[in-house]
Amino acid sequence: MKQNIYLLRSGLGFMAALLFTTIPAETQILDEGDTAPADIGSRLELFVDNFLIEELNNVQLMLHKPKDEGPVLFYDKPWEGPFSGNTTVIKDGDLFRLYYKGWPQEIRNANLETTCYAESRDGIHWTKPDLGLYTVQGTDQNNVVLADMYWVSFNISPFLDTREGVDPSERYKALGGDFLGLYAFTSPDGIHWNLVSQDPVYIKGRHLDAQVSPFWSEEEQQYICYYRKWIRVDGKRYRTIGRTTSKDFIHWTHPVEMEYGDTPREQIATTQTHPYFRAPHIYIALAARLRPEKQEKSLEEALRQNTDLTYSKEYSDGVLMSSRGGNRFDRTFMEPFIQSSPSNYPALNVVQTAREEMSLYVNQHYGEPNSRLQRYTLRLDGFASVHASGRGGEMITKPFRFTGKTLYLNYTTSRSGFIKVEILNPEGKIMKGFELEKTKELTGDNIRKAVSWEESPYLAKLSGQAIRLRFVMKDADLYSLKFE
């Protein structure tokens, strides 16, 4: 059995470092197995899961709630309406592109969905350009980029193909479809789309009636698509997620069902899974979790507000999941990420909208007259953190290897709080020159701050070696780390 070297070592030193009343030991060992050290190179690592964490002592992983910045887009055109949604946001250089389904209430049963487009220079103020590509509801002065293909427009998801050497004429790709299967599209500019084949490229799934999440994975070197499927467990039907992959965007593998670890079965309608733009080896999922048993409105209220009766019974919230590839989602956080409301569906992708800010978007009040797209913000990397209260605590990592000479942290502390870092060898022995008392105390609010020690400010001599990090923290949040 592994010796608890950390508590033996950290007694008086821990007290001296924190300079406050002794706290009871509430240590959580997250992984007692001896495994080969992970090689994180110079990648940014987020604390959205336990990938790097071995021991938490009076600290915890904390989910952070995005700030509601208000509505940024209303579905107020004749070809849009209350059933618009299934939204994707893409940042391409200095331009933000937004794609969504147009589906007016009065023609809901006429299968006349379209794919609409808006753009922005800041991710906040959006315009709907008159593209003149299709005549819809008697006019070609509209922002429609696909029409007359309702079975595709219902759930199509474009993405910017980041694969090295991609043909410029296929820089943008998209998948969309319904019960017939998924159809593939390509585009040079994100506006003019070409159907790859008259036949669907993927037909192995069923009930493809929700937005899919396709992208190129640099980490796995293949295209990946997540989609909603149905399963039956103990006689009850559940919405869940399947995954299929492709090397060429045309031929897709047999689907696998995603796993969620040791967590309760829930109704996961969509995942909006995508590589996080600052750490593309980590897939962030802004999932829609349905609670059909939670009826928000009475029949009388729904009729009075002109709400579609199907969706007046649908209660949903956004939850945060993550994945590092394969067929497993990490459900570290079971509580809501986006506060619950009727028909509340996160859009696909998180994008950077300011130097230290990222934005995510949520379709709210689907099927209601006030249906709209809402913007939320977080600090960069700010999905979750290792959080220490004012009583203080520590976190010790698993052994890992890195590349670089400087350690940078993304963190916040109160005026009385701090973060200090100590470097250990894989067995937990303090490495000379990197003791806790020799590290410079970090305070304040920084997206990127270097850690330094008195005698050895640079870590080049440790690059490539297996190490552990010990973080001693008080009234602080640690969001991410990176070696360079």
Side-chain angles (χ1 to χ4, degrees), residues 58 68 90 98 136 145 161 163 165 214 228 234-235 245 267 296 369 371 379 394 404 411 419-420 456 482:
N58 294 303
D68 189 345
I90 298 173
L98 189 145
V136 179
V145 294
D161 191 346
R163 179 174 60 85
R228 203 267 299 284
D234 297 329
T245 64
Q267 299 279 1
E296 185 78 0
S371 175
R379 69 183 288 122
E394 66 175 65
Y411 68 91
I419 297 177
K420 300 185 78 173
S456 304
K482 190 178 194 301

Side-chain angles (χ1 to χ4, degrees), residues 66-98:
K67 179 183 177 183
D68 189 345
E69 302 287 358
V72 294
L73 192 78
F74 291 93
Y75 305 119
D76 52 5
K77 299 296 185 181
W79 51 88
E80 296 174 346
F83 293 96
S84 298
N86 287 353
T87 304
T88 299
V89 181
I90 298 173
K91 186 177 183 182
D92 185 3
D94 294 330
L95 183 65
F96 296 84
R97 302 182 187 272
L98 189 145

Side-chain angles (χ1 to χ4, degrees), residues 204-215:
K204 297 171 184 175
R206 291 292 184 269
H207 301 289
L208 297 166
D209 56 344
Q211 188 176 2
V212 296
S213 299
F215 59 88

Side-chain angles (χ1 to χ4, degrees), residues 416-440:
S416 61
F418 62 83
I419 297 177
K420 300 185 78 173
V421 186
E422 187 170 65
I423 301 181
L424 317 174
N425 69 12
E427 290 72 41
K429 183 179 178 180
I430 302 171
M431 303 190 77
K432 184 175 175 53
F434 301 101
E435 297 89 347
L436 196 68
E437 58 270 20
K438 293 183 179 180
T439 184
K440 184 177 180 181

Side-chain angles (χ1 to χ4, degrees), residues 297-311:
K297 296 182 180 181
S298 66
L299 176 61
E300 294 76 14
E301 186 180 6
L303 291 172
R304 185 171 64 253
Q305 296 180 358
N306 196 29
T307 300
D308 183 88
L309 297 183
T310 300
Y311 294 96

Side-chain angles (χ1 to χ4, degrees), residues 206-239:
R206 291 292 184 269
H207 301 289
L208 297 166
D209 56 344
Q211 188 176 2
V212 296
S213 299
F215 59 88
W216 168 257
S217 170
E218 191 65 28
E219 181 72 8
E220 299 185 65
Q221 287 293 298
Q222 59 187 346
Y223 295 99
I224 299 172
C225 179
Y226 296 88
Y227 66 93
R228 203 267 299 284
K229 59 181 292 187
W230 289 84
I231 61 171
R232 189 173 293 275
V233 179
D234 297 329
K236 182 177 179 179
R237 294 184 77 212
Y238 286 91
R239 300 165 179 86

